Amino acid sequence: MEQPEQIRAMRESFARGENSVSPLALRWQALHETAQEIAAMAALAREPFTKELAGFPARVADCGENRAYFVERGLNDIDAMLQPGLTALRLIASRGSDTTAPALALWREFYFARAGLLAMCPASGAVTLAAAD
């Protein structure tokens, strides 16, 4: 995953129209930046932004409108969970208290919610539970 300075430069170049990246890809990246901050508060190692993770927005475009709709809703739900949780963690940290346990609980919620989204539009060769769309 890029450093914050690289991410900032990337976003600025997108805003100028120098690259064409979908809004979903930007949201996906921002979601993972938030998750990395939570992981740090949980004393977890940085999670690599693997090809499977990075390629998810492109797979969403190929998996059909119905699944894309539910992925969008799922992203909204994850963000609605993470933002107040992160705010609470920052408050806990500002008081000098240990954030490890609550951050770990929030990170696990993120991890399993993200796994659900990834399963909706899996990488080629990945096993899925249902192929109905």
Side-chain angles (χ1 to χ4, degrees):
M1 191 163 156
E2 296 88 4
Q3 298 301 318
E5 299 82 27
Q6 292 171 319
I7 294 169
R8 191 175 308 110
M10 179 179 70
R11 285 188 177 150
E12 289 171 0
S13 71
F14 295 152
R16 291 189 301 268
E18 295 173 7
N19 294 302
S20 59
V21 173
S22 73
L24 177 64
L26 292 175
R27 286 186 66 205
W28 187 246
Q29 181 72 35
L31 179 78
H32 284 86
E33 291 171 24
T34 300
Q36 290 298 342
E37 185 176 349
I38 293 165
M41 291 180 175
L44 297 172
R46 285 189 69 80
E47 179 184 39
F49 200 61
T50 63
K51 286 183 180 181
E52 180 186 1
L53 290 175
F56 181 69
R59 291 194 309 273
V60 170
D62 295 334
C63 71
E65 285 185 39
N66 290 337
R67 289 188 187 196
Y69 170 79
F70 286 110
V71 165
E72 182 72 26
R73 300 273 312 259
L75 282 174
N76 291 341
D77 292 346
I78 292 172
D79 193 48
M81 169 187 63
L82 291 185
Q83 292 308 319
L86 182 57
T87 299
L89 288 170
R90 288 175 178 158
L91 180 62
I92 291 167
S94 74
R95 293 180 178 169
S97 298
D98 183 19
T99 60
T100 306
L104 183 58
L106 183 59
W107 193 88
R108 285 179 176 159
E109 290 296 323
F110 159 76
Y111 179 86
F112 288 112
R114 180 186 65 184
L117 290 182
L118 290 169
M120 292 183 75
C121 300
S124 62
V127 177
T128 60
L129 298 177
D133 204 8

